């Protein structure tokens, strides 16, 4: 009995983990364990021996049981101590700075509209922001006496003293990009030209720099019907509504003939703009069939080719889509304005992306 006791108590004291403890428990107290077997032998003993042996076995069983429990608790404490030692956290470390800033709504909208027009086969064309007066004006059938050419409408660059050539300008629209694209590539062509443009304008609804996207589609039999479909598709996709209704109003631009301003059906219920329904109309862009003189200026034969062009202000459609009523939100590029006016895209995880707020 003493040998048994010594063996198990020593074994328990030296057990490395709970699995070893469990093995010892089974070996001693399990159904086929040594103590259990000895208990079973009691039945064949003479009564006096049986009583003393039985009592001693019970005491031993209780001792082993108690030792097992104590060791199990000790092992648990040791494991906790080890975790506390290895898994500590220095709560006094300074926090990781969060990056401020996110994608600007104008950039976001440029990406959106580029994707929509790309689906309709339009490539993106780019060009310089400082342009010659040929590309910005003459090629677009804008005559020298046109008001856009006046000093107080356009930013003119200075020429070196003695240089009498006409001055370059900050482009007043992205149309010169399309003149360049047509000149280089010829017809047929299908491009959009998004980018910055500059006009001498500064009030509540105008800033001297703003963003435009213009589109151009030239082929042998492009018509205004194609223009209408492209613009409807664009508006449906851009404003994320199931259907839109567009209204064409006759207008005049030097570079298109005929020309039309385009309105979209909307409602302003409760100060909330809803595109695609209601009794209101909102002007969103200008358009028309490219003037034959403009095609000719870009080296495209107007007796063989024809097509449409359109132009719209990106800042404006971004404000409409995201319900931002104040230009300062864009012009100062200040997140506080965007938040103040509830630029919804700030809460979109794909937009905020890795740039956490
Ligand atoms: C080429 C030929 C024709 C582009 C066009 C408009 C009508 C238009 C305004 C919308 C609001 C400018 O940003 S805005 O102030 N644009 O109304 N733009 S047709 O016509 C072109 C372009 C390129 C070669």
């Amino acid at each position: 009995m003493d040998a048994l006791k010594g063996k198990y108590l020593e074994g328990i004291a030296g057990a490395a983990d709970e699995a070893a403890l469990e093995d010892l428990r089974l070996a001693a107290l399990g159904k086929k364990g040594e103590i259990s077997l000895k208990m079973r032998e009691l039945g064949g003993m003479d009564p006096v021996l049986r009583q003393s042996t039985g009592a001693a076995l019970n005491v031993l069983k209780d001792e082993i049981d108690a030792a097992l429990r104590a060791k199990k608790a000790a092992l648990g404490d040791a494991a906790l101590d080890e975790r506390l030692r290895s898994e500590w956290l220095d709560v006094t470390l300074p926090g990781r700075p969060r990056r401020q800033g996110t994608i600007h709504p104008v950039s976001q909208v440029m990406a959106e509209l580029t994707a929509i027009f790309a689906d309709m086969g339009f490539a993106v064309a780019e060009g310089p922001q400082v342009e010659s007066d040929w590309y910005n004006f003459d090629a677009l059938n804008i005559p020298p006496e046109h008001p856009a050419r006046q000093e107080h409408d356009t930013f003119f660059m200075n020429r070196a003293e003695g240089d009498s050539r006409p001055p370059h300008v900050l482009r007043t629209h992205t149309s010169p990009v399309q003149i360049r694209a047509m000149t280089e590539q010829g017809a047929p062509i299908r491009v959009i030209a998004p980018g910055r443009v500059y006009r001498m304008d500064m009030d509540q609804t105008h800033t001297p720099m703003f963003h435009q996207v213009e589109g151009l589609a030239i082929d042998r039999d492009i018509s205004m019907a194609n223009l209408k479909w492209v613009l409807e598709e664009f508006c449906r996709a851009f404003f994320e509504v199931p259907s839109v209704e567009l209204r064409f109003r006759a207008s005049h631009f030097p570079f298109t003939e005929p020309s039309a301003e385009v309105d979209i059906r909307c409602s302003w219920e409760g100060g909330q703009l809803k595109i695609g329904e209601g009794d209101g109309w909102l002007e969103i862009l200008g358009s028309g069939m490219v003037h034959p003189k403009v095609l000719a200026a870009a080296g495209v034969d107007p007796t063989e080719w024809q097509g449409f062009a359109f132009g719209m202000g990106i800042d404006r459609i971004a404000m409409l889509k995201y319900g931002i009523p104040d230009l300062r939100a864009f012009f100062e590029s200040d997140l506080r304005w965007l938040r103040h006016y509830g630029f919804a895209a700030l809460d979109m995880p794909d937009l905020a992306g890795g740039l956490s707020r």
Side-chain angles (χ1 to χ4, degrees):
M1 199 77 79
D2 282 347
L4 261 184
K5 176 175 169 176
K7 174 174 139 189
Y8 281 108
L9 292 187
E10 263 171 45
I12 290 167
D17 52 29
E18 288 199 17
L21 272 187
E22 179 61 9
D23 288 346
L24 285 162
R25 190 187 68 77
L26 287 171
L29 309 176
K31 252 189 192 163
K32 293 182 183 159
E34 278 188 283
I35 310 278
S36 312
L37 289 178
K38 288 219 174 311
M39 293 275 202
R40 240 170 267 153
E41 287 165 11
L42 290 174
M45 288 183 182
D46 93 285
V48 179
L49 192 58
R50 184 198 305 157
Q51 203 186 8
S52 63
T53 310
L57 275 175
N58 272 327
V59 169
L60 178 56
K61 186 178 159 220
D62 288 348
E63 278 178 327
I64 290 176
D65 201 46
L68 281 168
R69 283 174 199 278
K71 183 66 182 181
K72 191 171 175 181
L75 282 175
D77 285 350
L80 183 60
D81 285 348
E82 177 53 29
R83 276 189 64 194
L84 288 172
R85 221 180 1 261
S86 62
E87 295 179 17
W88 65 282
L89 191 71
D90 185 353
V91 293
T92 67
L93 276 177
R96 292 192 187 92
R98 281 160 172 252
R99 279 177 66 184
Q100 288 292 318
T102 182
I103 296 173
H104 194 280
V106 169
S107 308
Q108 162 87 3
V109 161
M110 261 196 217
E112 287 171 12
L113 59 85
T114 301
I116 296 168
F117 283 114
D119 279 349
M120 294 190 276
F122 287 80
V124 173
E126 286 178 319
Q129 296 181 36
V130 176
E131 264 297 3
S132 70
D133 65 341
W134 162 259
Y135 280 114
N136 195 78
F137 293 128
D138 301 88
L140 286 148
N141 193 33
I142 300 174
E145 67 280 6
H146 194 277
R149 288 213 177 197
Q150 287 168 15
E151 289 275 341
H152 59 264
D153 284 308
T154 298
F155 290 100
F156 289 89
M157 312 297 287
N158 287 331
R159 279 276 184 213
E161 204 149 332
D163 188 337
S164 59
R165 289 174 302 170
H168 279 64
V169 299
L170 290 183
R171 69 183 183 196
T172 58
H173 42 193
T174 58
S175 317
V177 175
Q178 295 157 91
I179 296 290
R180 287 174 179 275
M182 264 199 292
T183 308
E184 279 164 30
Q185 179 184 326
I189 188 170
R190 224 184 286 179
V191 287
I192 58 163
R196 293 181 162 184
V197 301
Y198 303 84
R199 291 183 195 174
M200 279 240 206
D201 230 346
M202 186 66 189
D203 60 31
Q204 287 246 298
T205 55
H206 296 88
T207 54
M209 187 282 291
F210 63 104
H211 303 81
Q212 274 190 346
V213 60
E214 291 194 350
L216 176 76
I218 306 292
D219 211 319
R220 291 183 195 277
D221 56 3
I222 297 269
S223 73
M224 285 194 82
N226 302 125
L227 169 67
K228 186 159 185 277
W229 182 85
V230 164
L231 294 180
E232 277 170 0
E233 279 300 297
F234 166 73
C235 290
R236 225 168 36 78
F238 179 75
F239 292 110
E240 297 172 27
V241 290
S243 68
V244 290
E245 193 183 336
L246 298 183
R247 179 175 80 173
F248 283 61
R249 273 182 295 106
S251 184
H252 171 79
F253 306 110
F255 29 78
T256 47
E257 180 59 36
S259 305
E261 280 169 307
V262 181
D263 304 334
I264 190 166
R265 186 181 281 286
C266 71
S267 76
W268 281 104
E269 253 167 62
Q272 181 88 26
L273 174 68
K274 275 212 186 109
I275 299 279
E277 55 184 76
D279 300 327
W281 293 97
L282 186 71
E283 184 183 326
I284 50 163
L285 56 91
S287 65
M289 297 301 289
V290 178
H291 198 292
K293 281 190 182 172
V294 173
L295 293 176
V300 170
D301 181 356
T303 64
E304 198 178 337
W305 305 98
Q306 62 181 31
F308 65 73
F310 60 85
M312 67 188 129
I314 295 179
D315 311 70
R316 194 171 132 73
I317 59 164
M319 289 168 79
L320 292 174
K321 176 164 178 176
Y322 292 109
I324 300 167
D326 194 310
L327 263 179
R328 283 174 294 186
F330 288 160
F331 206 53
E332 297 179 10
S333 290
D334 189 327
L335 268 182
R336 284 168 300 181
W337 282 111
L338 293 177
R339 291 216 183 89
H340 180 70
Y341 291 118
F343 176 44
L346 284 177
D347 299 323
M348 296 175 186
D350 63 328
L351 180 60
L355 315 166
S356 60
R357 298 195 292 129

